[in-house]
Amino acid sequence: MNPELWPVVDELLLSEEERNVYVNRKNAVVLYFKGIGLKRIHEQTGVHPKNLRRLIHRCILISDDGLVWGFRALIPQKKVKPYQLNLSSKKKNPSRKTGEFKLLLETYPPLQDLIKDLFLGNHRRSLEPAMKPHHIHKKFIDTCRTLGIPLHQYPFNTDHLGFKALQRYVTKLSFMYFGKNRTRYGQDAITKAKHTGEGEQNHPSTLHPYQKVQFDAHRIDGFFIIEVMTPEGDLIPIVLDRFWILTLIDVATRVVLGYAISLNKEYSAVDVMHCFRNTVIPHEKVTVSIEGLKYNQTGGFPSEVYPSSTAWAVWDMIYFDNAKSHLANLVQDRLKHLIGCDINLGPVALPMRRGIIERFFKILEETGFHRLPNTTGSNPDDPRRTDPEKNAVKYKMSFDHLKQLIDILISDYNGKPHGGIYHQTPLELLGKRLNAGLLPRQLEEELRKEVLFMQVTKTATIRGSLKSGKKPYIQFQGVEYRSDKLGQSAHLLNKELILHVNVDDLRTIRTFLPDGSEFDYLAAAGKWSITPHSLQIRKAINSLVRQRLIYLTTWDDPIFVYTEYLRINATKGKRGAANTVTQVKESTRKRTTINEPEGQTEALERVEERNAALERAREHTKKEQTDREYTEYKDLMKLYKTKL
């Protein structure tokens, strides 16, 4: 035993009389462990040898926290052992019932099991979800009678039949089983008890920018509209269902690194990767068309304000919950092999684990969306909620306006003082850390391609037939993919190709041979290669074709047909159709891709030339058919007039 390792006592909290007793006891115990004789210890401290042995025994007892009592056991009147009733003791006071309840439970273990099961809801002793103490007491007394406990013994010899003692016992049970009683306190309380208040997350000391980031999504508290053209040619406003904003924030500086908007009912893995892509790629301000709305000069995004240090910067650790979209293979693979970061998966529905980003969402709503006439407020009873859908239509609050508003709100947030960082602005603190040499990692030059953020790896068998003369091709999501090189590679028939698929744009697919060597860029057959479209859109179109809700011919652009189908459904008021229309428009909008691979550009150019040639051939064929039909008509009329 080494007293230097024992728990200590703050002596200043004791009264002067208690302090004198404690100090003498402490000195006596310390001298004993130094090997000083009992007689000498008695002379120096006044502690009798018999009392000293008792004190040492108290010090080495194990307390409820798993440690020895140590010097804490030397505090005057300190209880180190629970009270144990001794029925044979001559000092026992018959009028006091202290310890009787505990002795009863030790004598009759079924009583203890009954109380515990009823209070914690175990073993289906009762269908009542959260039994109250007085109901438990009723069962307790009934069981005491069943066990044959005489009426002159405890608990029948007390005024309240042991109810007060039972109350104290169930309170002690709630402490002992903290975080384990779902039926009594609910799943939310249990989840918080299990996953908060422990670990490194509760002792943050992050100084390095981009060392730790938090990710989460928040459903925007407001309605917005899009304008859709009816079959009669009229533009009408359609209200969008509420959608999501996904955000990444730096723990050290509180600066928002990037964001994305998801129009899906539930955001997907692709939406998560859009947020990561927008964070790493240098940010560009949106074009503002709302009169009077402008960016604050002190705000901005890190890659705009500190481009040399934060453009293409990546993080070391990301915190988010166990939502399905976060666990998807696309997200896990890109974080590991592209970003190169560690993942900390916290529990679902536990926002306090990501308190920094949750506070940002609250600021975003309170300073932005909750001030608009189309706000839904923070709950259905919020007085700020005054017919938000009607107001969205009345004031023409469009989706394009939302995109401008979000970009400006986040930009301004980064330039406003923040209480959590001593009233500095996030961008100001970020600049100080960067000037101090705390620079983040930046993505390697060869990895700075936008398509890599949305890339998944698949395999496909090369199909074709020597017998029928069908050239080699592969099939992916119901569409054939070809290239001149593949068409001339009959020796690869029935072999596998490794596909690097950009789930944001399925017009082309990059392929590799099984040994890892690059093969070629394959282009989608027919009109599938005209309009950019995502994997989600391709699956939706294929599903509608299988259900025979839309029909595609060789000359139809599938994305155009799909958009028309959605537009008609949106004008009919089909739920979610307006969101899907907007999502398709955003996905198919042609924009400049950052560092687009040269092979992909060449493949798309060849496809455009081929489609243009096919279109010319179609027009020529159509003209010939029209001329032929006109000639036949003239001959028929001439013949008809002759007969007359």
PDB file of all heavy atoms in Angstrom, residues 378-400:
ATOM      1  N   SER A 378     -40.058  26.620 -35.814  1.00  0.00           N
ATOM      2  CA  SER A 378     -39.324  25.501 -35.227  1.00  0.00           C
ATOM      3  C   SER A 378     -40.239  24.342 -34.851  1.00  0.00           C
ATOM      4  O   SER A 378     -39.759  23.243 -34.590  1.00  0.00           O
ATOM      5  CB  SER A 378     -38.568  25.972 -33.981  1.00  0.00           C
ATOM      6  OG  SER A 378     -39.464  26.568 -33.054  1.00  0.00           O
ATOM      7  N   ASN A 379     -41.569  24.572 -34.827  1.00  0.00           N
ATOM      8  CA  ASN A 379     -42.525  23.514 -34.515  1.00  0.00           C
ATOM      9  C   ASN A 379     -43.908  23.948 -35.014  1.00  0.00           C
ATOM     10  O   ASN A 379     -44.113  25.122 -35.347  1.00  0.00           O
ATOM     11  CB  ASN A 379     -42.543  23.216 -33.009  1.00  0.00           C
ATOM     12  CG  ASN A 379     -42.916  24.425 -32.184  1.00  0.00           C
ATOM     13  OD1 ASN A 379     -44.080  24.846 -32.161  1.00  0.00           O
ATOM     14  ND2 ASN A 379     -41.932  25.030 -31.503  1.00  0.00           N
ATOM     15  N   PRO A 380     -44.862  23.016 -35.060  1.00  0.00           N
ATOM     16  CA  PRO A 380     -46.191  23.370 -35.607  1.00  0.00           C
ATOM     17  C   PRO A 380     -46.901  24.482 -34.845  1.00  0.00           C
ATOM     18  O   PRO A 380     -47.771  25.156 -35.409  1.00  0.00           O
ATOM     19  CB  PRO A 380     -46.976  22.054 -35.490  1.00  0.00           C
ATOM     20  CG  PRO A 380     -45.923  20.990 -35.512  1.00  0.00           C
ATOM     21  CD  PRO A 380     -44.734  21.576 -34.810  1.00  0.00           C
ATOM     22  N   ASP A 381     -46.565  24.692 -33.561  1.00  0.00           N
ATOM     23  CA  ASP A 381     -47.227  25.729 -32.763  1.00  0.00           C
ATOM     24  C   ASP A 381     -46.467  27.054 -32.741  1.00  0.00           C
ATOM     25  O   ASP A 381     -46.862  27.983 -32.034  1.00  0.00           O
ATOM     26  CB  ASP A 381     -47.412  25.226 -31.326  1.00  0.00           C
ATOM     27  CG  ASP A 381     -48.293  23.994 -31.264  1.00  0.00           C
ATOM     28  OD1 ASP A 381     -49.250  23.927 -32.056  1.00  0.00           O
ATOM     29  OD2 ASP A 381     -48.025  23.099 -30.437  1.00  0.00           O
ATOM     30  N   ASP A 382     -45.374  27.139 -33.510  1.00  0.00           N
ATOM     31  CA  ASP A 382     -44.582  28.366 -33.536  1.00  0.00           C
ATOM     32  C   ASP A 382     -45.421  29.514 -34.103  1.00  0.00           C
ATOM     33  O   ASP A 382     -45.989  29.388 -35.194  1.00  0.00           O
ATOM     34  CB  ASP A 382     -43.337  28.140 -34.398  1.00  0.00           C
ATOM     35  CG  ASP A 382     -42.285  29.229 -34.208  1.00  0.00           C
ATOM     36  OD1 ASP A 382     -42.671  30.399 -34.038  1.00  0.00           O
ATOM     37  OD2 ASP A 382     -41.083  28.906 -34.227  1.00  0.00           O
ATOM     38  N   PRO A 383     -45.541  30.639 -33.392  1.00  0.00           N
ATOM     39  CA  PRO A 383     -46.372  31.754 -33.885  1.00  0.00           C
ATOM     40  C   PRO A 383     -45.855  32.368 -35.183  1.00  0.00           C
ATOM     41  O   PRO A 383     -46.595  33.067 -35.876  1.00  0.00           O
ATOM     42  CB  PRO A 383     -46.320  32.767 -32.736  1.00  0.00           C
ATOM     43  CG  PRO A 383     -45.114  32.399 -31.933  1.00  0.00           C
ATOM     44  CD  PRO A 383     -44.961  30.919 -32.065  1.00  0.00           C
ATOM     45  N   ARG A 384     -44.574  32.106 -35.489  1.00  0.00           N
ATOM     46  CA  ARG A 384     -44.028  32.632 -36.748  1.00  0.00           C
ATOM     47  C   ARG A 384     -44.557  31.865 -37.950  1.00  0.00           C
ATOM     48  O   ARG A 384     -44.385  32.296 -39.094  1.00  0.00           O
ATOM     49  CB  ARG A 384     -42.499  32.562 -36.718  1.00  0.00           C
ATOM     50  CG  ARG A 384     -41.860  33.506 -35.715  1.00  0.00           C
ATOM     51  CD  ARG A 384     -40.379  33.262 -35.549  1.00  0.00           C
ATOM     52  NE  ARG A 384     -40.098  31.959 -34.954  1.00  0.00           N
ATOM     53  CZ  ARG A 384     -38.906  31.578 -34.499  1.00  0.00           C
ATOM     54  NH1 ARG A 384     -37.885  32.409 -34.592  1.00  0.00           N
ATOM     55  NH2 ARG A 384     -38.722  30.381 -33.973  1.00  0.00           N
ATOM     56  N   ARG A 385     -45.165  30.723 -37.713  1.00  0.00           N
ATOM     57  CA  ARG A 385     -45.701  29.894 -38.804  1.00  0.00           C
ATOM     58  C   ARG A 385     -47.102  30.379 -39.159  1.00  0.00           C
ATOM     59  O   ARG A 385     -48.078  30.062 -38.484  1.00  0.00           O
ATOM     60  CB  ARG A 385     -45.724  28.435 -38.360  1.00  0.00           C
ATOM     61  CG  ARG A 385     -46.203  27.461 -39.431  1.00  0.00           C
ATOM     62  CD  ARG A 385     -46.324  26.064 -38.828  1.00  0.00           C
ATOM     63  NE  ARG A 385     -46.758  25.112 -39.821  1.00  0.00           N
ATOM     64  CZ  ARG A 385     -46.046  24.086 -40.253  1.00  0.00           C
ATOM     65  NH1 ARG A 385     -44.835  23.872 -39.765  1.00  0.00           N
ATOM     66  NH2 ARG A 385     -46.511  23.254 -41.153  1.00  0.00           N
ATOM     67  N   THR A 386     -47.205  31.149 -40.244  1.00  0.00           N
ATOM     68  CA  THR A 386     -48.505  31.690 -40.666  1.00  0.00           C
ATOM     69  C   THR A 386     -48.717  31.371 -42.147  1.00  0.00           C
ATOM     70  O   THR A 386     -48.351  32.156 -43.025  1.00  0.00           O
ATOM     71  CB  THR A 386     -48.561  33.211 -40.447  1.00  0.00           C
ATOM     72  OG1 THR A 386     -47.442  33.830 -41.101  1.00  0.00           O
ATOM     73  CG2 THR A 386     -48.513  33.547 -38.967  1.00  0.00           C
ATOM     74  N   ASP A 387     -49.265  30.189 -42.387  1.00  0.00           N
ATOM     75  CA  ASP A 387     -49.568  29.739 -43.752  1.00  0.00           C
ATOM     76  C   ASP A 387     -48.347  29.869 -44.669  1.00  0.00           C
ATOM     77  O   ASP A 387     -48.363  30.631 -45.647  1.00  0.00           O
ATOM     78  CB  ASP A 387     -50.738  30.534 -44.317  1.00  0.00           C
ATOM     79  CG  ASP A 387     -51.499  29.736 -45.371  1.00  0.00           C
ATOM     80  OD1 ASP A 387     -50.954  28.706 -45.820  1.00  0.00           O
ATOM     81  OD2 ASP A 387     -52.616  30.145 -45.728  1.00  0.00           O
ATOM     82  N   PRO A 388     -47.262  29.134 -44.388  1.00  0.00           N
ATOM     83  CA  PRO A 388     -46.009  29.299 -45.146  1.00  0.00           C
ATOM     84  C   PRO A 388     -46.136  28.954 -46.626  1.00  0.00           C
ATOM     85  O   PRO A 388     -45.519  29.609 -47.464  1.00  0.00           O
ATOM     86  CB  PRO A 388     -45.045  28.354 -44.427  1.00  0.00           C
ATOM     87  CG  PRO A 388     -45.913  27.368 -43.721  1.00  0.00           C
ATOM     88  CD  PRO A 388     -47.144  28.112 -43.341  1.00  0.00           C
ATOM     89  N   GLU A 389     -46.951  27.948 -46.969  1.00  0.00           N
ATOM     90  CA  GLU A 389     -47.078  27.561 -48.380  1.00  0.00           C
ATOM     91  C   GLU A 389     -47.747  28.671 -49.186  1.00  0.00           C
ATOM     92  O   GLU A 389     -47.321  28.988 -50.302  1.00  0.00           O
ATOM     93  CB  GLU A 389     -47.869  26.255 -48.490  1.00  0.00           C
ATOM     94  CG  GLU A 389     -47.172  25.071 -47.834  1.00  0.00           C
ATOM     95  CD  GLU A 389     -47.936  23.778 -48.026  1.00  0.00           C
ATOM     96  OE1 GLU A 389     -48.278  23.465 -49.181  1.00  0.00           O
ATOM     97  OE2 GLU A 389     -48.182  23.080 -47.030  1.00  0.00           O
ATOM     98  N   LYS A 390     -48.777  29.255 -48.602  1.00  0.00           N
ATOM     99  CA  LYS A 390     -49.483  30.352 -49.282  1.00  0.00           C
ATOM    100  C   LYS A 390     -48.553  31.551 -49.462  1.00  0.00           C
ATOM    101  O   LYS A 390     -48.546  32.195 -50.523  1.00  0.00           O
ATOM    102  CB  LYS A 390     -50.721  30.743 -48.472  1.00  0.00           C
ATOM    103  CG  LYS A 390     -51.552  31.837 -49.106  1.00  0.00           C
ATOM    104  CD  LYS A 390     -52.776  32.149 -48.260  1.00  0.00           C
ATOM    105  CE  LYS A 390     -53.604  33.262 -48.872  1.00  0.00           C
ATOM    106  NZ  LYS A 390     -54.811  33.579 -48.040  1.00  0.00           N
ATOM    107  N   ASN A 391     -47.755  31.846 -48.443  1.00  0.00           N
ATOM    108  CA  ASN A 391     -46.827  32.980 -48.537  1.00  0.00           C
ATOM    109  C   ASN A 391     -45.725  32.728 -49.548  1.00  0.00           C
ATOM    110  O   ASN A 391     -45.249  33.660 -50.210  1.00  0.00           O
ATOM    111  CB  ASN A 391     -46.217  33.262 -47.161  1.00  0.00           C
ATOM    112  CG  ASN A 391     -47.200  33.904 -46.209  1.00  0.00           C
ATOM    113  OD1 ASN A 391     -48.132  34.576 -46.642  1.00  0.00           O
ATOM    114  ND2 ASN A 391     -47.009  33.703 -44.910  1.00  0.00           N
ATOM    115  N   ALA A 392     -45.273  31.469 -49.662  1.00  0.00           N
ATOM    116  CA  ALA A 392     -44.230  31.147 -50.641  1.00  0.00           C
ATOM    117  C   ALA A 392     -44.715  31.449 -52.052  1.00  0.00           C
ATOM    118  O   ALA A 392     -43.968  31.968 -52.891  1.00  0.00           O
ATOM    119  CB  ALA A 392     -43.831  29.677 -50.510  1.00  0.00           C
ATOM    120  N   VAL A 393     -45.992  31.135 -52.322  1.00  0.00           N
ATOM    121  CA  VAL A 393     -46.579  31.424 -53.639  1.00  0.00           C
ATOM    122  C   VAL A 393     -46.821  32.920 -53.796  1.00  0.00           C
ATOM    123  O   VAL A 393     -46.527  33.509 -54.847  1.00  0.00           O
ATOM    124  CB  VAL A 393     -47.894  30.633 -53.810  1.00  0.00           C
ATOM    125  CG1 VAL A 393     -48.578  31.029 -55.128  1.00  0.00           C
ATOM    126  CG2 VAL A 393     -47.638  29.136 -53.754  1.00  0.00           C
ATOM    127  N   LYS A 394     -47.343  33.550 -52.743  1.00  0.00           N
ATOM    128  CA  LYS A 394     -47.683  34.969 -52.808  1.00  0.00           C
ATOM    129  C   LYS A 394     -46.468  35.833 -53.113  1.00  0.00           C
ATOM    130  O   LYS A 394     -46.526  36.749 -53.946  1.00  0.00           O
ATOM    131  CB  LYS A 394     -48.315  35.393 -51.473  1.00  0.00           C
ATOM    132  CG  LYS A 394     -48.676  36.870 -51.394  1.00  0.00           C
ATOM    133  CD  LYS A 394     -49.292  37.212 -50.040  1.00  0.00           C
ATOM    134  CE  LYS A 394     -49.636  38.690 -49.936  1.00  0.00           C
ATOM    135  NZ  LYS A 394     -50.216  39.016 -48.603  1.00  0.00           N
ATOM    136  N   TYR A 395     -45.350  35.536 -52.447  1.00  0.00           N
ATOM    137  CA  TYR A 395     -44.152  36.367 -52.615  1.00  0.00           C
ATOM    138  C   TYR A 395     -43.152  35.774 -53.612  1.00  0.00           C
ATOM    139  O   TYR A 395     -42.032  36.259 -53.732  1.00  0.00           O
ATOM    140  CB  TYR A 395     -43.482  36.563 -51.255  1.00  0.00           C
ATOM    141  CG  TYR A 395     -44.351  37.301 -50.263  1.00  0.00           C
ATOM    142  CD1 TYR A 395     -44.932  36.625 -49.196  1.00  0.00           C
ATOM    143  CD2 TYR A 395     -44.625  38.652 -50.418  1.00  0.00           C
ATOM    144  CE1 TYR A 395     -45.762  37.291 -48.285  1.00  0.00           C
ATOM    145  CE2 TYR A 395     -45.441  39.324 -49.523  1.00  0.00           C
ATOM    146  CZ  TYR A 395     -46.005  38.640 -48.459  1.00  0.00           C
ATOM    147  OH  TYR A 395     -46.814  39.307 -47.564  1.00  0.00           O
ATOM    148  N   LYS A 396     -43.572  34.716 -54.310  1.00  0.00           N
ATOM    149  CA  LYS A 396     -42.752  34.098 -55.365  1.00  0.00           C
ATOM    150  C   LYS A 396     -41.337  33.758 -54.860  1.00  0.00           C
ATOM    151  O   LYS A 396     -40.340  34.141 -55.463  1.00  0.00           O
ATOM    152  CB  LYS A 396     -42.681  35.003 -56.592  1.00  0.00           C
ATOM    153  CG  LYS A 396     -44.029  35.248 -57.235  1.00  0.00           C
ATOM    154  CD  LYS A 396     -43.906  36.109 -58.490  1.00  0.00           C
ATOM    155  CE  LYS A 396     -45.269  36.318 -59.144  1.00  0.00           C
ATOM    156  NZ  LYS A 396     -45.160  37.162 -60.369  1.00  0.00           N
ATOM    157  N   MET A 397     -41.279  33.048 -53.740  1.00  0.00           N
ATOM    158  CA  MET A 397     -40.000  32.682 -53.123  1.00  0.00           C
ATOM    159  C   MET A 397     -39.520  31.379 -53.760  1.00  0.00           C
ATOM    160  O   MET A 397     -39.898  30.282 -53.360  1.00  0.00           O
ATOM    161  CB  MET A 397     -40.167  32.558 -51.614  1.00  0.00           C
ATOM    162  CG  MET A 397     -40.834  33.798 -51.020  1.00  0.00           C
ATOM    163  SD  MET A 397     -40.876  33.842 -49.239  1.00  0.00           S
ATOM    164  CE  MET A 397     -39.209  34.332 -48.875  1.00  0.00           C
ATOM    165  N   SER A 398     -38.671  31.523 -54.777  1.00  0.00           N
ATOM    166  CA  SER A 398     -38.308  30.392 -55.631  1.00  0.00           C
ATOM    167  C   SER A 398     -37.090  29.644 -55.089  1.00  0.00           C
ATOM    168  O   SER A 398     -36.375  30.112 -54.203  1.00  0.00           O
ATOM    169  CB  SER A 398     -38.012  30.890 -57.051  1.00  0.00           C
ATOM    170  OG  SER A 398     -36.813  31.650 -57.053  1.00  0.00           O
ATOM    171  N   PHE A 399     -36.851  28.490 -55.695  1.00  0.00           N
ATOM    172  CA  PHE A 399     -35.693  27.674 -55.334  1.00  0.00           C
ATOM    173  C   PHE A 399     -34.389  28.402 -55.660  1.00  0.00           C
ATOM    174  O   PHE A 399     -33.409  28.295 -54.925  1.00  0.00           O
ATOM    175  CB  PHE A 399     -35.768  26.326 -56.062  1.00  0.00           C
ATOM    176  CG  PHE A 399     -34.614  25.418 -55.768  1.00  0.00           C
ATOM    177  CD1 PHE A 399     -34.459  24.843 -54.517  1.00  0.00           C
ATOM    178  CD2 PHE A 399     -33.669  25.142 -56.751  1.00  0.00           C
ATOM    179  CE1 PHE A 399     -33.386  23.997 -54.240  1.00  0.00           C
ATOM    180  CE2 PHE A 399     -32.602  24.299 -56.492  1.00  0.00           C
ATOM    181  CZ  PHE A 399     -32.464  23.728 -55.229  1.00  0.00           C
ATOM    182  N   ASP A 400     -34.367  29.142 -56.750  1.00  0.00           N
ATOM    183  CA  ASP A 400     -33.174  29.925 -57.092  1.00  0.00           C
ATOM    184  C   ASP A 400     -32.894  30.982 -56.029  1.00  0.00           C
ATOM    185  O   ASP A 400     -31.733  31.251 -55.698  1.00  0.00           O
ATOM    186  CB  ASP A 400     -33.354  30.599 -58.460  1.00  0.00           C
ATOM    187  CG  ASP A 400     -33.230  29.619 -59.606  1.00  0.00           C
ATOM    188  OD1 ASP A 400     -32.545  28.592 -59.422  1.00  0.00           O
ATOM    189  OD2 ASP A 400     -33.828  29.856 -60.672  1.00  0.00           O
TER     190      ASP A 400
END
